[in-house]
Amino acid sequence: RKGVYSHFMRKEIDEQPTSLRQTIEGRIGDEAALDAFPPGALADVETVVFVACGTSYHAAMYGSVLLRRRGIFATAMRANEFAHDPTPLSDRTLVVAVTQSGETADTLASLRVANASPARTLAVTNVIGSSAAREADDAVFIRAGPEIGVAATKTFSSQVATLSLFANRLECDGAGIGTALGREEIGDRDTAVGLDASADRDTAANSDRSADSDAAEGTIAARRATDGGTVSDAMRALPDDVATVVADDGAARLAERYTDADSYFFIGRGVGYPVALEGALKFKEITYEHAEGFAAGELKHGPLALVTPSTVVVAVFTGRDDERTLHNVREAQSRGAPIVGVGPESATEVRDAVDQYLSFPDTDPELAGILANVHLQLLAYHAAEIRDRAIDKPRNLAKSVTVE
Ligand code: F6R
């Protein structure tokens, strides 16, 4: 039932604080089990291959970034490619099928290929009793509740949150064969929020400034240093942080402002890259406007040729590597493109550099992509509403794609 809402999509966007609470309940912390996986259960996993389609593929990509940052070799493949051209698989490979419905034919075909190999398989799905849940060796449920709108919204957030918990479980279990390059830097993920993070780090390393004096400055870095905060703390705060974004009317204003662009480009790096792809997918799917997502650093390798004053560039910032993304933004800005930044509240340097800014509460950069994405869901929703599109049932699309 839509109730007071005119579309299921809008209802499902608004439901995200609740659906995320369901997703994470009882699953946070080093000793927490994740459905089939008690501590230690994933110790012998060396490599992880995600297979998925569409929005679920973007969540899978996001998950693969989180695993690589933990020293675990991980890759995400589109299921329609993997099913007919799989990567090499061994008994130390875990193939993870990410699928909201658990019935997507391409994803099931990939799962069957993996089941016929020595690899172990896992379904990450929303639907208990779905084909994916039944056919994989194990299943983890994202607990988002039913999603009616064809455009996936709350299930993306719950997929990413689940994959973040899964990444922590794998890391605690000692999975993987490698050491993440720049692991030291990754250790800083708890402190790297906003453009000043590296400066903060340097200062902290080079002086005996106490955590307490950092705290006086009120930075997230300081909060973490004093209360021992981790990704887990950020995860606990996530439902409330999402509620803040859902209550923000910034995306509605921007949808009104940019109605006549030729194209909408979405860019990001790290976990911001899959979020850029997802932002573009949602936008094209329900507005029927031309939208594309790119890795921010890829713009100059071709797409920049398309950038004009009629290209709106939406740039995702997570509080990690933001200087680099800002550099890519300037490449587009100097061609006259209006820039919409989506990033943490405290990233003042970003805010000052872009034309419009949609902010979200400061959080761990690994989870920032979830918050940024909620703004992008709202941007697509309002842009589609202005154009009077069939938001819950976009033309040519179905909720569950059961043919290959
Ligand atoms: C886009 C969307 C689709 C699905 C894709 C996979 O908004 O919903 O791209 O994500 O068809 O579906 P599932 O997750 O059910 O395998």
Side-chain angles (χ1 to χ4, degrees):
R1 304 271 316 261
K2 278 187 294 204
V4 296
Y5 291 98
S6 42
H7 300 99
F8 280 108
M9 183 184 177
R10 184 60 216 252
K11 175 171 178 273
E12 287 158 3
I13 289 172
D14 279 16
E15 274 170 6
Q16 290 178 105
T18 305
S19 51
L20 278 166
R21 250 177 228 115
Q22 289 165 189
T23 299
I24 65 181
E25 193 181 347
R27 290 170 158 178
I28 300 179
D30 294 1
E31 300 307 317
L34 188 59
D35 297 13
F37 303 119
L42 294 165
D44 59 354
V45 172
E46 283 184 356
T47 63
V48 176
V49 180
F50 291 97
V51 291
C53 300
T55 292
S56 295
Y57 171 75
H58 301 146
M61 264 182 86
Y62 198 128
S64 73
V65 175
L66 301 184
L67 287 179
R68 290 195 294 271
R69 287 185 185 169
R70 287 162 174 74
I72 298 160
F73 182 88
T75 186
M77 280 191 74
R78 297 194 186 267
N80 31 57
E81 287 294 315
F82 178 95
H84 308 287
D85 256 319
T87 57
L89 301 169
S90 81
D91 59 359
R92 296 293 183 101
T93 311
L94 180 66
V95 175
V96 183
V98 183
T99 165
Q100 186 281 130
S101 62
E103 303 297 345
T104 300
D106 290 323
T107 309
L108 292 176
S110 291
L111 196 52
R112 287 168 193 151
V113 167
N115 277 339
S117 82
R120 195 167 160 187
T121 58
L122 166 67
V124 174
T125 180
N126 197 28
V127 182
I128 296 169
S130 61
S131 302
R134 283 186 281 111
E135 292 187 30
D137 295 331
D138 292 294
V140 168
F141 297 100
I142 64 167
R143 305 175 181 167
E147 189 174 65
I148 311 294
V150 164
T153 51
K154 64 176 181 174
T155 56
F156 175 85
S157 298
S158 287
Q159 284 170 334
V160 173
T162 304
L163 293 177
S164 170
L165 296 166
F166 172 68
N168 293 341
R169 173 79 280 128
L170 276 163
E171 184 181 32
C172 292
D173 287 2
I177 45 172
T179 303
L181 267 184
R183 185 116 183 158
E184 212 174 296
E185 190 188 314
I186 290 152
D188 286 335
R189 64 174 181 253
D190 289 340
T191 52
V193 170
L195 283 175
D196 293 327
S198 60
D200 278 358
R201 273 204 299 280
D202 291 343
T203 321
N206 295 327
S207 78
D208 56 5
R209 198 157 62 120
S210 72
D212 284 346
S213 70
D214 274 349
E217 289 174 27
T219 62
I220 275 273
R223 185 170 65 73
R224 295 255 151 85
T226 47
D227 69 10
T230 58
V231 185
S232 297
D233 292 339
M235 184 66 86
R236 283 187 196 94
L238 187 65
D240 286 344
D241 290 346
V242 166
T244 304
V245 177
V246 165
D248 189 328
D249 62 357
R253 265 190 301 105
L254 295 191
E256 292 277 357
R257 186 180 185 103
Y258 298 114
T259 48
D260 55 356
D262 290 344
S263 270
Y264 299 80
F265 281 12
F266 293 74
I267 63 170
R269 61 172 12 86
V271 300
Y273 172 34
V275 169
L277 294 181
E278 173 58 11
L281 175 63
K282 212 92 310 175
F283 203 89
K284 74 179 81 164
E285 165 174 46
I286 61 169
T287 69
Y288 313 156
E289 296 287 339
H290 179 242
E292 295 296 332
F294 301 103
E298 197 64 20
L299 266 193
K300 59 184 173 299
H301 297 290
L304 204 50
L306 293 172
V307 173
T308 70
S310 299
T311 317
V312 174
V313 175
V314 181
V316 176
F317 295 87
T318 61
R320 187 184 197 270
D321 258 355
D322 284 349
E323 301 88 337
R324 268 187 255 276
T325 304
L326 212 41
H327 186 77
N328 305 127
V329 156
R330 294 204 174 95
E331 294 163 350
Q333 216 162 22
S334 66
R335 274 80 188 178
I339 311 288
V340 176
V342 185
E345 248 158 41
S346 69
T348 47
E349 213 171 309
V350 174
R351 189 191 293 267
D352 291 348
V354 299
D355 300 296
Q356 304 290 331
Y357 194 59
L358 297 172
S359 73
F360 50 78
D362 288 355
T363 184
D364 190 289
E366 289 203 352
L367 300 181
I370 298 177
L371 299 177
N373 187 62
V374 174
H375 274 306
L376 301 187
Q377 292 170 350
L378 287 165
L379 185 65
Y381 175 80
H382 290 294
E385 209 184 20
I386 290 165
R387 291 164 177 80
D388 203 20
R389 303 302 189 213
I391 293 180
D392 282 335
K393 283 189 198 308
R395 68 183 180 203
N396 310 339
L397 300 176
K399 181 69 181 159
S400 189
V401 185
T402 51
V403 289
E404 270 194 69

